Amino acid sequence: ARLVVLVSGSGTNLQALLDAIAADPDGYGAEIVAVGADRDDIAGLERAERAGLPTFVRKVKDHASREEWDRALTEATAAYTPDLVISAGFMKILGKEFLARFGGRIVNTHPALLPSFPGARGVRDALAHGVKVTGCTVHFVDDGVDTGPIIAQGVVEVRDEDDEAALHERIKEVERSLLVEVVGRLARHGYRIEGRKVHVGE
Ligand code: GRF
């Protein structure tokens, strides 16, 4: 399967996918064909360039409207004819055109146990709420924010001494391996989405 990965930051989820594919290029069942971002000078793009991958950047502020940006991001992504789009720490809400083009084939990873703590501050919100366990969720993207059908989740315990950074780092350790496992399974076995249920490889 052809993957386009979208990033906005350090790109450690991207790196986990790159490492898994490099470790088993024939068996993993997917290849990353391009990496897209909504901003420049992020480690995620450096990781892509180091891996010799094509990259593209589409910044909202470079476009006359959010719709124009959405269209530009859609076209830039479509140029690589992806089978799956992986949003790995991509911090923008994908627009109508992107969803129309790639809906049902966009996988997102979120650092909380959805439906709890959706949005851009899931780790901070979980910590502030005082939960004893949190975790991460890999799900398909629908037209809501972090509301699409859940594929897999991983649990991470919250420690008394945790601050947001420490907890997020511990979540990311689980998240990276969960994303690698899920993307490989979807790529190798195929999947069906029925309402909120995801059937893999049946
Ligand atoms: C991940 O925890 C992702 O779920 C969240 O931001 C983080 C991105 O990390 N949205 P990285 O850029 O993959 O290192």
Side-chain angles (χ1 to χ4, degrees), residues 9-14 88-89 91 109-111 168 172 175:
S10 52
T12 61
N13 279 288
L14 164 66
M91 298 305 276
T109 173
H110 180 75
H168 198 168
K172 284 173 80 169
E175 183 178 32

Side-chain angles (χ1 to χ4, degrees), residues 64-88:
S65 70
R66 185 82 186 204
E67 290 70 25
E68 289 293 311
W69 170 78
D70 179 36
R71 177 166 309 117
L73 184 73
T74 303
E75 284 163 10
T77 303
Y80 292 98
T81 61
D83 297 301
L84 285 171
V85 177
I86 314 298
S87 162

Side-chain angles (χ1 to χ4, degrees), residues 9 22 28-29 44 48 55 58 63 71 75 83 87 91 101 103 107-108 119 132 143 158 165 172 179 187 189-190 202:
Y28 186 72
T55 61
R58 292 297 180 278
H63 296 274
R71 177 166 309 117
E75 284 163 10
D83 297 301
S87 162
M91 298 305 276
R101 188 68 177 267
V107 175
N108 183 48
K132 298 304 178 185
D143 53 4
V158 182
K172 284 173 80 169
L179 184 67
H189 306 303
E202 290 165 19

Side-chain angles (χ1 to χ4, degrees), residues 4 16-17 60 65 94 100 111 117 135 146 157 165 167 171 180 194 198:
V4 167
L17 287 168
V60 173
S65 70
L94 295 166
F117 313 116
D146 298 328
E157 65 170 24
L167 177 55
I171 292 171
V180 163
E194 277 174 10
V198 178

